Amino acid sequence: MIKNFARGFGALSLALVPLLSSPAAQAAAPMPEVTMLADAVGLVQVTEEDRTGYTRSSFKHWNSGDDASDGCNTRAEVLIAEAVVAPTVGAGCKLTGGTWVSYYDGQEVTSAGSLDIDHMVALAEAWDSGASAWSAARREAYANDQGSTVSLVAVTARTNRQKSDQDPADWMPPSPEAQCRYVGEWVATKLRWGLTADDRELEALKVYAEGPCEDTIVRYTPVV
């Protein structure tokens, strides 16, 4: 049984790299931020959203993933990392077997093909919130971000498509037990990438932060 072990180990390995390199590299490495949800929501800047010019192809995905030598793209690497029972990885990174739990709805899934890899903050929402001004390389990095365990999440296709490009003012996971985690991870992703929120989104986040999710802790490492 594994649960996010591969991803967690990868993150740990990345965290150790600066310790083994020069003092200058150590000084340049961004430090993780840990704060309560209400304080984290207060750090999100508020602006009007603008979808002018958005196309999904503006965010190149899926690319060759964190390990270009393993023959797996980002989608497959996330599936492998998030499996609670590891799948068999065959030729061409074909995944067979394995078990996943879609935290949005609490469903157990035993077929990788039944899962979507959801961008915690959808690509269109990211575009609205600041990514329209990014370089193509930064948008690709965002769309394939495995440097945070919350940026990409394996969930049932049904819930991912219900969510679509909506923010927490318009959609929340159907499982009540998932909602505080979801709000925390949404805010963490916005802060990690320096994305903004509109007024309705921010008010929705505040309702959760000041109410049922007031004890939620937000952890994020800014991307510089």
Side-chain angles (χ1 to χ4, degrees):
M1 296 286 288
I2 59 170
K3 189 169 185 179
N4 290 335
F5 176 78
R7 179 175 290 190
F9 182 78
L12 177 60
S13 300
L14 289 172
L16 290 175
V17 169
L19 300 179
L20 301 175
S21 53
S22 68
Q26 293 180 39
M31 296 297 293
E33 304 286 346
V34 181
T35 185
M36 300 305 294
L37 178 58
D39 293 329
V41 170
L43 296 174
V44 179
Q45 295 186 11
V46 182
T47 61
E48 293 297 317
E49 294 185 350
D50 183 0
R51 195 159 297 186
T52 302
Y54 169 72
T55 61
R56 191 170 175 82
S57 61
S58 297
F59 296 79
K60 181 182 176 182
H61 69 293
W62 305 109
N63 64 17
S64 58
D66 280 355
D67 182 355
S69 68
D70 66 2
C72 297
N73 64 12
T74 299
R75 170 186 161 81
E77 288 183 355
V78 172
L79 286 169
I80 294 166
E82 294 197 353
V84 296
V85 176
T88 299
V89 184
C93 199
K94 182 178 180 180
L95 305 183
T96 55
T99 302
W100 294 262
V101 175
S102 166
Y103 94 79
Y104 287 178
D105 53 5
Q107 295 297 304
E108 184 176 285
V109 180
T110 56
S111 170
S114 298
L115 293 160
D116 282 354
I117 303 303
D118 182 35
H119 292 92
M120 174 56 58
V121 175
L123 302 181
E125 169 71 18
W127 179 273
D128 297 350
S129 307
S132 60
W134 294 351
S135 67
R138 186 174 177 88
R139 287 196 290 268
E140 180 179 352
Y142 176 84
N144 297 273
D145 181 20
Q146 294 185 69
S148 166
T149 59
V150 308
S151 295
L152 301 171
V153 58
V155 296
T156 54
R158 177 175 56 86
T159 54
N160 183 43
R161 291 162 198 184
Q162 286 174 346
K163 173 187 172 181
S164 185
D165 58 6
Q166 300 176 93
D167 67 35
D170 297 308
W171 187 90
M172 289 292 288
S175 172
E177 294 79 10
Q179 292 179 357
C180 289
R181 173 181 171 183
Y182 181 77
V183 172
E185 294 183 355
W186 178 276
V187 174
T189 303
K190 288 250 165 165
L191 292 175
R192 172 170 169 77
W193 287 92
L195 296 171
T196 61
D198 64 17
D199 289 330
R200 287 186 67 249
E201 176 187 347
L202 189 70
E203 288 307 309
L205 295 173
K206 286 180 177 179
V207 168
Y208 286 94
E210 296 169 4
C213 305
E214 63 180 351
D215 294 329
T216 298
I217 297 172
V218 174
R219 297 177 176 86
Y220 66 96
T221 301
V223 174
V224 295

